[in-house]
Amino acid sequence: MKGLKRLDAIEVIKTRRSVRKYTKQEVPQDILMDILDCARLAPTGHNEQPWHFVVVTDQKIKERLTEITFYGKFIKDAYAVIAVFCDKKATTILEDASAATQNILLSAWYHGLGTCWISSFRWEHTKEAEQLMKCPETHELCSMITIGYPDEQPRRRKKELQGLVSFNTF
């Protein structure tokens, strides 16, 4: 993958930021598949692996998702949105979906792609989004992730570690 900066795991974790502005550049299929492969390898309760990933590149669907989500007004501008669905019978549905989502965020950053996590687990837009993507009754939408080449360099500050950690007691 010519021109992409390779990062180690710790650097990927420490430098990843949410991206809401994207170029029009197409994301190669092999990179998308590698990101989805990383998603399927996420930890999962009882090894249930309840997920199914839908990659939406259709502009009309992206525009409708943009209209129905409160926090996803940039969906239409991303190359794609990856929807993470999980089987409703899964023991740890939200944890499993979140682990897969995090793997998508980190592996995309590794490949030089920006992402933004759009919470979708039982939100106002969830049912309509499920209908748009023809989700079967056995599954439900847990998250959506926009993905594409960044057209911004977000620098949002994170809280200091010292104020977030204690040992033995709160």
Side-chain angles (χ1 to χ4, degrees):
M1 279 159 269
K2 192 175 176 182
L4 295 178
K5 182 181 176 190
R6 296 295 180 194
L7 306 173
D8 70 27
I10 299 299
E11 188 178 0
V12 166
I13 292 167
K14 289 187 174 188
T15 62
R16 190 218 60 83
R17 295 292 181 269
S18 294
V19 171
R20 293 174 180 83
K21 292 181 183 174
Y22 302 94
T23 69
K24 298 294 182 196
Q25 184 179 349
E26 184 175 331
V27 176
Q29 183 79 11
D30 62 323
I31 292 177
L32 276 176
M33 293 306 290
D34 189 50
I35 291 165
L36 295 166
D37 193 35
C38 290
R40 80 167 176 92
L41 295 170
T44 172
H46 311 284
N47 198 30
E48 289 180 329
Q49 304 175 53
W51 35 63
H52 185 87
F53 309 102
V54 174
V55 181
V56 177
T57 57
D58 182 280
Q59 190 61 33
K60 288 181 182 175
I61 297 173
K62 290 190 302 179
E63 286 173 7
R64 185 65 190 139
L65 291 170
T66 298
E67 291 170 7
I68 66 173
T69 57
F70 187 76
Y71 292 107
K73 299 307 176 195
F74 47 89
I75 292 172
K76 67 183 181 337
D77 301 321
Y79 172 74
V81 62
I82 299 172
V84 179
F85 293 88
C86 282
D87 189 312
K88 290 178 180 179
K89 294 179 184 172
T91 310
T92 54
I93 185 172
L94 193 54
E95 294 87 344
D96 294 350
S98 296
T101 298
Q102 180 74 351
N103 278 14
I104 291 168
L105 301 175
L106 296 175
S107 59
W109 193 249
Y110 171 84
H111 282 290
L113 295 165
T115 57
C116 190
W117 183 336
I118 301 160
S119 299
S120 296
F121 187 67
R122 301 177 184 165
W123 280 66
E124 296 84 9
H125 67 266
T126 304
K127 289 296 178 196
E128 188 171 348
E130 288 173 349
Q131 290 171 349
L132 276 169
M133 292 180 266
K134 300 185 180 352
C135 176
E137 285 294 318
T138 56
H139 286 67
E140 68 182 300
L141 178 62
C142 296
S143 66
M144 294 189 292
I145 305 102
T146 53
I147 189 166
Y149 287 97
D151 198 19
E152 66 175 339
Q153 294 182 341
R155 302 256 186 248
R156 192 165 213 170
R157 284 199 53 205
K158 296 290 187 175
K159 293 180 180 179
E160 294 296 323
L161 181 62
Q162 293 79 1
L164 303 173
V165 177
S166 56
F167 290 88
N168 298 317
T169 61
F170 196 92

